[in-house]
Amino acid sequence: MMEWPEKVTIKEVGPRDGLQNEPVEVPLHDKVAWIDLLSEAGYSYIEFSSFVHPKWIPQLKDAKEVAAMISRKKGTTYAALVPNRRGLEAAIDTDVDEVSVFMSASDTHNKKNINKSIEETYPVLKEVVQEAKLEGKSVRGYVSTVFGCPYEGTIATDQVARVSERLLEMGIDELSLGDTIGVANPRQVDQALHEWKQWLPFDKLAMHFHNTRGMALSNVLVSMQHNITTFDAALGGLGGCPYAKGASGNLATDDLVHMLHQMGIETGIDEEKLKEAAVYIQGVLNKSLPSHQMQVVNKERV
Ligand code: HMG
Ligand code: MG
């Protein structure tokens, strides 16, 4: 019999990784109302926005206002993505609990995403991590395109390990490995995790799957078999990556929570409240959200 964890931590990235890829810019008050509904659903972690250049990601240009207006719940970590020192300073001004730095395992995707090669990115992030620590903030480090890149194809596991090790050496508290374009299959995830176990501290590891080809939940199951118990997800399956053509939605939080609860695994998240939050943002975006849970909800509503 397979062994399953008793509890899994889900990090909601919808307000950042979901909305950054929407063609519509969600009005500030709707964003705030949505994030407040997410907080009510019982998450321990919400990535609410990013402090990046507004020309690059106009959808999140109101990060400062969002941070000021959301109701922060005790026990929930409110985090924001920052690409550099300027972003970090803006984030700290809004009193975030945690910042996330990010880079890619593929040089081409990294350049498209943050306008720097992998080598040029290390000193920028090193300074951000150091500065964030001095300010008493915890730091999460994302590595994207870990199973495949839209420009370079398959990425070698040792390349992912090398980039991850550099971030860990800088002092990040958690490492999130992203299947940005959703190409990984369960066997590949199993093999990669076997290899990464030699190099990476699994107690600091989170997985970030996208459901482009319908394999995200299967990849979560495989990851749990490697004792990974932290997963990123976006409500309703929102999102993608603006600099990775073909990257469709993130793993849907509502599908993940439903599966875990059906398996008797705790998440601390209230499914009814989650549904309420999903229906809300679906109405704002004026489109059906792709998660299976929302497809059921939408059929019931017809
Ligand atoms: P750049 O053009 O190379 O920046 O962009 P620069 O350093 O040359 O500066 C150019 C101008 O930008 C300057 O202003 C700076 O002050 C300003 P000017 O003097 O021309 O008036 N600037 C900024 N403004 C606001 N906020 C800042 C900032 N930094 C510089 N933080 C930069 C470099 C990193 C800024 C840009 O490429 C950028 O903002 N990229 C963000 C891209 C992004 O957010 N991508 C999506 C997130 S990553 C992802 O989705 C993957 C992940 O979700 C995992 C997964 O899904 O697998 C994490
Ligand atoms: Mg993502």
Side-chain angles (χ1 to χ4, degrees), residues 72-258:
R72 302 191 193 191
K73 240 186 154 187
K74 206 163 172 259
T76 305
T77 299
Y78 294 90
L81 197 76
V82 299
N84 53 19
R85 194 177 176 131
R86 167 140 183 209
L88 174 72
E89 282 165 2
I92 285 174
D93 280 348
T94 68
D95 198 22
V96 289
D97 298 315
E98 178 167 294
V99 292
S100 312
V101 295
F102 60 105
M103 63 185 295
S104 180
S106 119
D107 213 44
T108 316
H109 182 260
N110 204 61
K111 281 185 191 138
K112 301 254 184 209
N113 204 20
I114 50 175
N115 208 19
K116 284 193 168 44
S117 68
I118 286 179
E119 281 305 320
E120 289 164 343
T121 305
Y122 291 135
V124 175
L125 298 193
K126 189 173 176 190
E127 190 192 15
V128 172
V129 177
Q130 267 170 359
E131 202 52 42
K133 293 277 165 173
L134 284 174
E135 294 287 339
K137 306 293 176 192
S138 51
V139 184
R140 175 169 226 244
Y142 283 103
V143 180
S144 13
T145 65
V146 302
F147 295 104
C149 164
Y151 311 101
E152 294 183 18
T154 306
I155 302 294
T157 47
D158 59 343
Q159 165 66 7
V160 175
R162 266 194 302 275
V163 173
S164 303
E165 278 176 336
R166 292 290 292 267
L167 289 174
L168 288 158
E169 279 162 21
M170 291 174 200
I172 58 165
D173 300 276
E174 184 172 72
L175 172 71
S176 173
L177 296 182
D179 182 16
T180 312
I181 52 169
V183 285
N185 67 65
R187 189 171 191 169
Q188 186 187 3
V189 173
D190 181 42
Q191 279 168 357
L193 288 171
H194 269 295
E195 290 174 35
W196 289 331
K197 217 168 263 171
Q198 305 162 46
W199 294 300
L200 305 176
F202 270 34
D203 56 336
K204 288 190 175 173
L205 189 57
M207 295 303 290
H208 179 115
F209 292 112
H210 280 240
N211 201 37
T212 319
R213 292 160 184 82
M215 290 186 277
L217 282 177
S218 315
N219 291 335
V220 167
L221 293 174
V222 170
S223 306
M224 287 196 292
Q225 292 305 308
H226 286 268
N227 296 325
I228 290 165
T229 56
T230 302
F231 298 96
D232 302 346
L235 187 56
L238 280 170
C241 175
Y243 302 101
K245 200 164 174 279
S248 73
N250 287 274
L251 164 61
T253 316
D254 36 349
D255 289 343
L256 176 61
V257 169
H258 182 74

Side-chain angles (χ1 to χ4, degrees), residues 272-302:
E272 273 309 306
K273 290 190 171 157
L274 205 54
K275 190 159 92 180
E276 208 184 305
V279 168
Y280 182 83
I281 195 66
Q282 175 173 266
V284 172
L285 293 169
N286 196 22
K287 67 168 201 188
S288 297
L289 296 186
S291 71
H292 290 284
Q293 292 305 307
M294 281 308 286
Q295 286 171 36
V296 174
V297 170
N298 290 337
K299 272 193 198 127
E300 283 169 355
R301 278 154 54 99
V302 178

